[in-house]
Amino acid sequence: MTDLFAPLQSLKQGDWFKLICGASFQHLPAVRSLTLAYTLAGADCIDVAADPAVIAAAQAGLLVAKSLAKDAQKRGFDYKGNSPFLMVSLNDGEDPHFRKAEFNPTECPTNCSRPCERICPAQAIVFNSTKEDFSGIVSEKCYGCGRCIPICPYDIIYTNSYMSTPGAIAPLVMSTGVDAVEIHTKVGRLAEFKQLWQAISPWADQLKLLAISCPDGEGMTDYLRAIYDLIAPLKSALIWQTDGRSMSGDIGDGTTIATVKLGQKVLAAKLPGYVQLAGGTNSYTVAKLKAMGLLKEAGEQGSRAAGEKQEISPSAPLPLCPCASIAGVAYGSYARVLLSPILEQLENKEVSNTNVKANLRLEEDEVLLWQAVELAHSLVSQIKSQQEH
């Protein structure tokens, strides 16, 4: 099974690239454009909110990318028309990825310097928008990073968290034809994880990939082992996503250190499956991994030292070999902010069709499209160059 899908080959090779659109990010035009640009740039997986409208926007981006495959190849990109996996994120409890910031703009003093507006990486905070005559938080753009909360001088910004409702969300999402599911969990939530897994399990066999995202915490590796015992045997590939410093990759180079350290910790646990970084990843991440010898070298076949005993449940149907190296990197806020100047230009352009005005789609502006793909490729190629020999 693992040989049938190009993204799984990337996991095996150690050059897997995932785009995180954001578990709470519901700005449909941006999701569509990000999916299109990063697919043409060679991404292996697109991770989106578990929302049918968001999933449909990503699927639309994937279809357009496929139609542009030959054009991409002529321009020197490696995309061959293979669709990346489409992944949705679910949570088993309170999680910063599953929240929105909120405030009442009428409570803002008129003389406030509005630091919240300047710090928001998603440009989700606006005051007196000329387009919609709106002030406040544009909910579909907010992805819950929380940077606006401590910077508000009047302490009026708060967050509204939400939970995946397992019984309701699983049939709705799984029927849309997604390839992969990521479950966000935390140490100590095994009962809640089990409830969510039971809701998903009727569809588990149709998944090509399952990812478990967990931040560090006391007893983390024991918790991950307990999760593996709960979900085994799996027919799909399995990723352990090390969420080092959530939604911080665009802040600066140093944010990647936490996820690299956590990646080392999970590798040392020798759990069945692949280890993939997230949370604080940026343009510095791959260089850091290379310097530390944590990426698989091109042409390397085995993922473990020769003769080392494999610790796998006898009931597991796939050889889910514990990796001795990082299999891939997921990029969220950094990848989105990288393309935000182009997406902003696109948003400000309107096309008029009879009496209906609509925003331009990325593929309808050839210059912006290939600028976006070039920028996306500058990030994707950092890990993909590992195998280009």
Side-chain angles (χ1 to χ4, degrees), residues 186-189 214-225 262 265:
K186 283 184 181 175
V187 178
R189 290 213 298 240
C214 187
D216 201 2
E218 189 176 347
M220 179 200 188
T221 53
D222 288 339
Y223 180 63
L224 296 184
R225 285 192 186 94
L262 189 52
K265 181 176 179 176

Side-chain angles (χ1 to χ4, degrees), residues 56-79:
Q59 287 170 331
L62 293 175
L63 276 174
V64 175
K66 197 174 275 286
S67 73
L68 292 170
K70 287 184 179 177
D71 203 357
Q73 290 165 30
K74 286 177 186 174
R75 291 170 180 270
F77 300 107
D78 294 330
Y79 176 66

Side-chain angles (χ1 to χ4, degrees), residues 203-222:
W203 291 272
D205 285 357
Q206 78 186 42
L207 294 176
K208 302 179 182 80
L209 176 68
L210 174 69
I212 308 296
S213 181
C214 187
D216 201 2
E218 189 176 347
M220 179 200 188
T221 53
D222 288 339

